[in-house]
Amino acid sequence: DIDYHDRHFDYQMEARVYYTMAEAKQYKQTAEELSWIDRQDNGYYIIIPKTIEDFKYEGRAQHNCVYTMQYYEKVMDKISIIIFLRKKENEPFVTIELDYETFGIKQALGKYNQPLDPDLYSYIENLAKELRFEMISREHD
């Protein structure tokens, strides 16, 4: 039994995204600069993607465009911060896009771009505020 929708999605991912080794290296460096965000909190894993391939895994598992629309470029250009929220460490749950400067939520969506329940969204809002406060205090150290 073949899931043609999944195969088509995989093909779309492969056909649309090309990145160079230099971009992969640059992204890794950017991710390292943001690694202070990685943590466990309130039963969740808050994860900064470490490689461009992490975006591919997330996009495939969540059926979203985080990879095909090359959100890693937004991170390298300091436009957005992408965070993966997990209940289990290696199991995609919520994909979050924050504004790089303000840490305001641009997007926070579940699998198939499903909206989140209000309590979970509220948790992410509070997390974003905490991260912004932490970033500001890091800049003044």
Side-chain angles (χ1 to χ4, degrees), residues 10-18:
D10 288 345
Y11 173 77
Q12 288 282 87
M13 287 178 70
E14 294 305 322
R16 292 179 83 169
V17 180
Y18 301 96

Side-chain angles (χ1 to χ4, degrees), residues 4 13 18 56-57 76 80 83 93 102 113 138 140:
Y4 288 102
M13 287 178 70
Y18 301 96
K56 185 177 185 179
Y57 177 76
M76 292 189 297
S80 295
I83 296 174
F93 178 55
T102 67
N113 291 323
R138 293 171 71 83
H140 292 96

Side-chain angles (χ1 to χ4, degrees), residues 81-127:
I81 295 172
I82 301 298
I83 296 174
F84 299 157
L85 185 71
R86 307 272 192 256
K87 285 183 180 178
K88 296 179 182 166
E89 198 167 5
N90 294 315
E91 194 175 295
F93 178 55
V94 177
T95 310
I96 302 166
E97 179 187 11
L98 300 178
D99 181 272
Y100 203 97
E101 294 292 318
T102 67
F103 279 73
I105 298 172
K106 291 181 169 187
Q107 300 182 70
L109 298 165
K111 193 170 191 167
Y112 297 103
N113 291 323
Q114 290 297 308
L116 307 179
D117 73 65
D119 289 340
L120 182 55
Y121 194 85
S122 179
Y123 167 75
I124 293 168
E125 285 179 319
N126 290 329
L127 173 67

